[in-house]
Amino acid sequence: MKKILPFLMLAGVLASCSDDDDNNSNSSDSDLAGTYNLTSVMAPTAVDYNMDEVASQELMDEAICFLDSYITLNDDNTYTSEYNYVLFVSETGCDTEMGEGTWNEEDGQVTTTNMLIEPNLDNTYTINNNELVIMYENYPYPDRDENDEPVYRTGTVILTYTKE
């Protein structure tokens, strides 16, 4: 009995321990999968692009072109995206940039690799609860000059995508 008692005590200790390793991760790829709609495009300065006499840093309030932009992260770690934006050519209008490729999550960030662009383009988003946030430096954004003509300015622009 004396020889069995230490094994029984060890078995009791091992049985009382739990495996908490699975609870330490903030999110899994399957938790992140889903569609994220563009909900904010913040410019570094307030602009009155739509000429309603109300300047705003929130470009989605200034230009309808950004509407219907999204990123869809699939369970198989592929993604698709559509980014709608203001384009100046011979006249002002909207244009769309499509994305398709792979994504992965590491250290609280999601990185997408757009395979439609050569060379492939990586974008890294910070995970903030149910949002994906990306900051672009020296990024063009629409504004108006002193004659109310459309122009691009450049600066730090922050895009926020919110999960449906």
Side-chain angles (χ1 to χ4, degrees):
M1 180 73 172
K2 287 183 182 180
K3 291 182 180 179
I4 297 176
L5 187 57
F7 291 111
L8 290 174
M9 289 175 58
L10 180 60
V13 169
L14 291 175
S16 68
C17 293
S18 65
D19 184 6
D20 293 331
D21 290 346
D22 292 338
N23 295 331
N24 289 336
S25 66
N26 292 335
S27 59
S28 69
D29 287 354
S30 64
D31 291 339
L32 292 171
T35 298
Y36 295 77
N37 293 308
L38 185 64
T39 54
S40 178
V41 180
M42 293 298 291
T45 60
V47 301
D48 186 18
Y49 181 74
N50 60 4
M51 298 189 300
D52 66 354
E53 298 182 12
V54 178
S56 175
Q57 284 183 267
E58 178 54 74
L59 295 178
M60 292 189 75
D61 293 341
E62 295 296 324
I64 62 169
C65 291
F66 297 104
L67 298 177
D68 300 322
S69 297
Y70 67 88
I71 301 171
T72 298
L73 303 179
N74 300 308
D75 285 324
D76 64 356
N77 288 85
T78 60
Y79 89 96
T80 57
S81 67
E82 181 176 305
Y83 177 64
N84 303 307
Y85 58 95
V86 177
L87 178 66
F88 309 144
V89 185
S90 59
E91 59 185 63
T92 302
C94 301
D95 202 6
T96 300
E97 180 181 306
M98 303 301 291
E100 186 177 298
T102 61
W103 69 275
N104 66 10
E105 183 273 332
E106 186 175 328
D107 298 328
Q109 296 183 321
V110 167
T111 300
T112 59
T113 301
N114 189 344
M115 307 288 199
L116 297 179
I117 298 173
E118 288 294 331
N120 296 341
L121 176 66
D122 289 345
N123 281 306
T124 301
Y125 303 82
T126 301
I127 301 167
N128 183 14
N129 296 317
N130 67 334
E131 296 177 334
L132 299 177
V133 180
I134 189 165
M135 179 173 28
Y136 293 107
E137 294 183 19
N138 300 314
Y139 195 75
Y141 61 94
D143 196 1
R144 298 279 177 177
D145 66 14
E146 59 279 350
N147 298 318
D148 290 332
E149 294 297 319
V151 296
Y152 284 123
R153 308 269 188 229
T154 58
T156 301
V157 177
I158 301 170
L159 281 65
T160 302
Y161 293 83
T162 305
K163 191 172 186 180
E164 288 183 345

